[in-house]
Amino acid sequence: MPLAPGTRVGVYEVAGSLGTGGMGEVYRARDPALGREVALKLLPTSFAADPERRARLAREARLLAALNHPNIATIYGLEDASGSFPHADGEVHALVLELVEGHTLAERIVRGPLPVDEAVAIAKQLAAGLDAAHQQGIVHRDLKPGNVKIRPDGTAKILDFGLAKALAEHDAMGESEVATRPDVTRFGVVIGTAAYMSPEQARGLPVDKRGDIWAFGCVLFEMLTGRRAFAGDDASDTMAAILRSDPDWDALPPELPARLRALLARCLAKDPARRLRDIGDARLELEEPLAPDVAPTPDAGARPARRAVLPWALAAALAGIVAGASIGALRTPAAPPTRLLEMTTPASLDPFSLSLSPDGRAMAFVAAGDGQPRLWVRRLDQANATLLPGTEGAQYPFWSPDGTALGFFADGQLKRIDRDGGRLRSLVPAAPGGGGAWGPNDTILFAPQLGSPLYRISGSGGEPQVVTQILEGQFGHRFPQFLPDGRFLFYAFGERGAPTAGGIYLGSLDDPEATHRVTAADGAGLYMEPGWLLFVDRGALLARLFDVGTAALHGPAFAIAENVETNDASTRSFSAAEGVIAYVPWSTPSRLTWFDRDGRELGTLGAADDNDLMDPEISPDGTRVAVSRKRLNDSDVWIFDATRGTRFTLEASSEQLPVWSPDGRELLLQSNRDGWPELYVGSATSPGLERPVAKPEGPSPQRRFPSDWSPDGSAVLFFAVSGTQSLQARLDMWVLPLVGEREPYPWLETAATEVWGQFSPDGQFVAYHSNESGAAHEVYVRRFAEPQHRWLISAAGGVYPRWSRDGKELYYIAPDRSLIAVPIEVRGTDLVVGNPRPLFQTRIIGGGRNVVGRRHQYDVAPDGRFLINVERDDAQAPAIKLLLNWRAR
């Protein structure tokens, strides 16, 4: 029986009916205590009959009530409405919702397609609301035009956020709804409205935020065309269309910019792994001005604009290709088809160090195999690769123009080696190295380190010369590439507060000041004939037409591949030459695993899909673990307990490298929210309340990496890059007091590299690893108050020291990945160091070598267990994707 005006539901007084809303009757009501009008949605009595479902709904309602965003209709709470139905068979409950005046988006679409500018304005608001919810781990699961209200002032509000999950197992579905069950994370369970379901939803597979991204694409398509992206006579026909058919792309308005067509295609990719990964990226794309497409004109001649590559079309064209197939038919006269191959390599700790030869017929890459990274070369038409001897520790290979030699970085030097493994020479100091290019007249361009300009040197050695000038707002140049006219491209880092200073630049050997910014990007770019600039943007490898003469980009960006690893702008994970494009897909090859002292596995941390966790830090009481969680371009700090993970920070910027405070109440971390990596401290119980530790005025002179927090809580230890204007950078350790003026000061500053310091439990000593011996990194200990004297701990190499909680042992990782234990005894002012003893061989990711920017991938619990980030047993061998005969369509 409907509720009459004046009926009271708890404290709320009903004013009238608003009709049926999805899963129950909706009424307008007034909250007399707060003087506001609300919407009451009555829920079926079946909810009250099941205490478990009722409790789960209450939990979901409390979670959803935390959402506070101008484009999300707020859920105020859950109210017992039984008193309004005295003769009801069982209890009655009502959700208390924000009352949103206006019409639904579905009602607007009935009148016909929306103009492009109106549709984009609404889509931007929907993306902003979804982004805010996804940041808090909440997924809508039933986004559709009927769940969007448009207020008279044009504000779009998303309704019923998250209720598809909270109201699962409802038994009174509308004709377009699909039956549900309460265990929504289990296979075989389908939740949502058929026309807007993602393929994984339709199959009853687990759903994450990418399901909302699919629905967003469906809604945007419907706004622009006035028709559904996927339609059928009933729910089953509609789901069949979702699984097997494609939208009618020709129905889109002709004036829609090509980049928005490409965005729609990425949202509606059937494979969730190839779909747009973050709705925030869609919001940024929609915020770009709706300028008409410009006809592309590569080189001197103009070409007609081409339609953007649709990911689903590209996938279909590449289907059925077998890994390792011959490329003998690569250059046939009649436009050969695009093909995708996969080249497996030996085990690699550095999958980003790869380079195609100038003729596109061979690949140079770095792989470890036995734990020592070396340089390998493989012809693409052969199955085996050739190891180049003497290239231990190699990074960032690049070819000579004739393909007979390779340049690379290793042992703090820029080196060259003949392709056949012949003569090996060191050319100039360069540490740690940041990419190089070999051009005409035997000229090599190279970045010696992070934060430095580019230098030039002869391929036979000599005195290096600076060829770029670091501009205001920039911090260093990396990864040069020569263009056909002798100029070169390179990547510039942007400092805090100057994001437009970073990106891909064009430079000249004749004038270091003659630089021109080509475009913003997430990392270095590459030029590919006959006129394409390749670069990665938000996880997608893109290509845009590039006029070398004018250094101008034209037309839309064409998608080449999704989910391409970037690992921030410090690396470049793709290469291109003669119609061949090679890239490294984003992967998650490791798992945090517990071990005892004998190397027996005791279990893993987190759920089965938590295979992207890094930098484990166990809390002082051993009950929690803080980790960095990296997904493509973004990294966040999460806190895990034995059964679940909760996100520590809600910022859209990158946070990583967590360190616990001595009392376990706070975390020290690194964040780039102001545009440059800086140290922050935040509450471990109140996410999003981070504060800068010592925020400098203007751009920071250092890139700071948090190492440890002193046991008395008075200071933090970090290391920083210095000497950026020289050929060899230094990494020195600094102390930042947390009391008084908070002025950082150098604790250990030498010509060597000292990183990842760890306080002993009593705070008297600091363990770290350094290359001061001139050979491999070794582990040392110094007294914190008097660092002049040092003790050598490791034997024949070691990195990443950790103390036992009682301070009686020091652990480190040996070059062969063994976990080593060293007895430690304090006698007065002296430290007695015992003999190193291997505990067990680990499969720790990164191996037994120092990786700048990657902290300890293991920790020691108070009970003596070890938590180690190990390579997964079921992880596939590293693979490089090779795209042959790519062309925009």
Side-chain angles (χ1 to χ4, degrees), residues 428-587:
V428 66
W438 208 324
N441 303 318
D442 201 29
T443 299
I444 292 178
L445 292 181
F446 70 101
Q449 53 148 310
L450 183 67
S452 72
L454 297 180
Y455 289 76
R456 66 182 294 179
I457 194 173
S458 168
S460 57
E463 187 67 25
Q465 298 175 331
V466 175
V467 295
T468 61
Q469 179 178 334
I470 297 178
L471 305 178
E472 182 178 356
Q474 293 180 355
F475 183 86
H477 300 159
R478 291 174 76 80
F479 291 103
Q481 182 206 12
F482 278 103
L483 295 175
D485 63 2
R487 293 180 296 169
F488 56 91
L489 297 173
F490 64 94
Y491 186 80
F493 284 100
E495 286 185 337
R496 178 197 299 119
T500 59
I504 299 171
Y505 277 74
L506 179 69
S508 170
L509 290 175
D510 299 327
D511 185 358
E513 298 183 5
T515 59
H516 168 74
R517 186 172 188 258
V518 178
T519 184
D522 288 341
L526 276 177
Y527 174 79
M528 184 176 73
E529 294 285 9
W532 295 100
L533 179 67
L534 276 56
F535 58 97
V536 173
D537 183 33
R538 287 164 286 187
L541 180 58
L542 306 176
R544 283 190 69 183
L545 287 166
F546 179 58
D547 187 327
V548 174
T550 63
L553 293 170
H554 300 283
F558 294 87
I560 299 173
E562 301 287 341
N563 301 329
V564 176
E565 179 67 88
T566 55
N567 195 35
D568 76 40
S570 297
T571 57
R572 181 172 59 203
S573 56
F574 62 95
S575 183
E578 291 295 313
V580 182
I581 300 173
Y583 63 93
V584 180
W586 181 70
S587 61

Side-chain angles (χ1 to χ4, degrees), residues 117 756 859:
D117 56 350
W756 301 122
D859 199 1

Side-chain angles (χ1 to χ4, degrees), residues 127-465:
L130 289 172
D131 191 23
H134 291 175
Q135 290 279 351
Q136 298 195 42
I138 300 175
V139 180
H140 193 291
R141 289 182 170 84
D142 195 21
L143 181 67
K144 56 186 177 184
N147 273 339
V148 177
K149 270 285 192 77
I150 308 299
R151 295 195 328 188
D153 64 0
T155 300
K157 288 267 191 179
I158 304 174
L159 310 179
D160 290 355
F161 217 109
L163 293 185
K165 176 182 177 183
L167 299 177
E169 211 178 46
H170 182 41
D171 56 0
M173 314 300 288
E175 63 179 4
S176 67
E177 304 291 331
V178 179
T180 63
R181 289 171 54 187
D183 46 349
V184 296
T185 59
R186 213 165 62 193
F187 286 98
V189 182
V190 179
I191 287 179
T193 304
Y196 308 94
M197 280 185 182
S198 63
E200 60 269 25
Q201 273 181 290
R203 292 188 174 99
L205 299 175
V207 176
D208 58 20
K209 65 181 182 179
R210 290 172 294 182
D212 280 355
I213 293 173
W214 170 280
F216 170 82
C218 291
V219 172
L220 178 55
F221 184 95
E222 192 167 338
M223 284 195 289
L224 292 166
T225 63
R227 65 177 74 172
R228 288 181 173 178
F230 304 93
D233 294 334
D234 54 28
S236 60
D237 288 343
T238 300
M239 286 195 289
I242 289 170
L243 295 173
R244 294 194 290 267
S245 303
D246 296 312
D248 182 5
W249 299 108
D250 292 331
L252 292 170
E255 68 272 20
L256 184 69
R259 60 182 177 81
L260 296 188
R261 292 175 180 266
L263 172 65
L264 266 173
R266 294 180 66 190
C267 291
L268 295 176
K270 294 188 187 297
D271 181 356
R274 300 184 62 82
R275 196 175 305 152
L276 189 73
R277 298 189 68 86
D278 197 312
I279 194 65
D281 294 340
R283 177 177 58 82
L284 294 175
E285 190 69 38
L286 291 164
E287 288 175 351
E288 292 291 324
L290 288 174
D293 293 333
V294 180
T297 55
D299 300 325
R303 298 183 181 182
R306 293 172 174 170
R307 188 169 179 171
V309 176
L310 302 178
W312 51 267
L314 180 60
L318 301 178
I321 302 300
V322 179
S326 169
I327 66 164
L330 175 61
R331 296 173 180 82
T332 55
T338 300
R339 299 195 295 162
L340 180 66
L341 310 182
E342 187 174 274
M343 188 180 83
T344 58
T345 73
S348 178
L349 306 176
D350 183 14
F352 313 108
S353 288
L354 75 163
S355 180
L356 282 163
S357 61
D359 61 5
R361 295 178 179 271
M363 174 72 74
F365 59 91
V366 172
D370 61 356
Q372 289 294 317
R374 297 181 177 91
L375 194 57
W376 301 68
V377 172
R378 174 179 164 181
R379 287 184 54 88
L380 300 190
D381 58 358
Q382 295 179 358
N384 297 319
T386 301
L387 170 65
L388 302 187
T391 59
E392 288 79 6
Q395 279 190 301
Y396 309 142
F398 56 94
W399 292 83
S400 63
D402 60 5
T404 61
L406 283 155
F408 64 97
F409 299 87
D411 302 326
Q413 299 281 323
L414 171 63
K415 300 184 178 184
R416 62 168 291 175
I417 190 172
D418 294 342
R419 173 178 175 166
D420 59 5
R423 187 180 179 188
L424 173 66
R425 283 173 282 175
S426 293
L427 301 180
V428 66
W438 208 324
N441 303 318
D442 201 29
T443 299
I444 292 178
L445 292 181
F446 70 101
Q449 53 148 310
L450 183 67
S452 72
L454 297 180
Y455 289 76
R456 66 182 294 179
I457 194 173
S458 168
S460 57
E463 187 67 25
Q465 298 175 331

